[in-house]
Amino acid sequence: METKGERTRQLIIEKSLQLFSVKGYHSTSISNILGATGLTKGGLYGHFESKEAIWYAIYDEAVRRWRGVVFDGVHDITDPLRRIEKVIENDLMNYLGKDIFEGGCFFLNALVELSGQSPEMSRHMLRGFIGFSKLLQQWLVQAESQGQIQSDLNHREIANFIFISLNGAAALYAVTRDDSVLKQTTSQLHRYVRQLEA
């Protein structure tokens, strides 16, 4: 059973996530958060010591939501290449295409905004990006060990290329809102993955 304190904390996270997604971190004030939550300053600071502390909490919530969408159905797939294809499809069609966050891709928006402004927060996000790329690399290593892909491939470069392509599509889709960006990127990345096969 959730306590009142836990419900209030979750309310702060939910409302701040909406604000940061749409307005950005720097353009969102504590007053905006108070207005959205209906809390007093004391009520807010009883849960979070600063706006930055709120950001770290909503980042964790955003990651949780992203994982829920992007890895949906992935763990049931034993073939590592099909797993990569499923992650690509989920990320583009079900995460970006379904507007999970009001302002588009929370992570891309935050990285663009925070780069050069908040180095520690940017590094925090970069660690998440590197972790995703490393997971793709692990699946490629598994595919090679099973004889599914050519043995002379650079797993790190391939994983990074897929990751960069996903983020490029996210940026273009944010500007155009054109579903064909997502469909074409999904199709071409699937084709690319299949070209790796032995």
Side-chain angles (χ1 to χ4, degrees), residues 97-145:
K98 299 277 174 68
D99 294 320
I100 299 300
F101 300 111
E102 249 179 273
C105 178
F106 171 81
F107 307 103
L108 179 66
N109 294 347
L111 190 63
V112 168
E113 179 193 10
L114 298 173
S115 293
Q117 302 278 335
S118 304
E120 184 49 47
M121 291 159 81
S122 296
R123 281 193 294 272
H124 189 74
M125 293 187 62
L126 190 56
R127 285 191 289 272
F129 291 162
I130 290 168
F132 180 55
S133 180
K134 283 186 175 176
L135 177 62
L136 296 178
Q137 289 175 56
Q138 287 171 14
W139 290 345
L140 289 165
V141 168
Q142 185 184 358
E144 184 181 308
S145 72

Side-chain angles (χ1 to χ4, degrees), residues 82 84-93 161-162 165-166 169 179-195:
R82 303 297 79 85
I84 291 171
E85 289 180 340
K86 181 67 172 170
V87 162
I88 289 167
E89 183 180 328
N90 282 349
D91 186 72
L92 292 168
M93 304 307 298
F161 173 74
I162 292 169
S165 299
L166 292 173
D179 287 343
S180 70
V181 170
L182 305 179
K183 290 174 184 169
Q184 288 170 20
T185 306
T186 301
S187 171
Q188 289 305 311
L189 283 176
H190 281 190
R191 183 173 296 181
Y192 172 71
V193 169
R194 290 182 186 201
Q195 286 173 350

Side-chain angles (χ1 to χ4, degrees), residues 50-61:
S50 65
K51 187 170 83 163
E52 188 172 323
I54 297 171
W55 184 87
Y56 281 102
I58 70 161
Y59 174 82
D60 290 344
E61 175 65 17

Side-chain angles (χ1 to χ4, degrees), residues 35 40 44 55 67 93:
T40 63
L44 181 70
W55 184 87
R67 281 185 180 145
M93 304 307 298

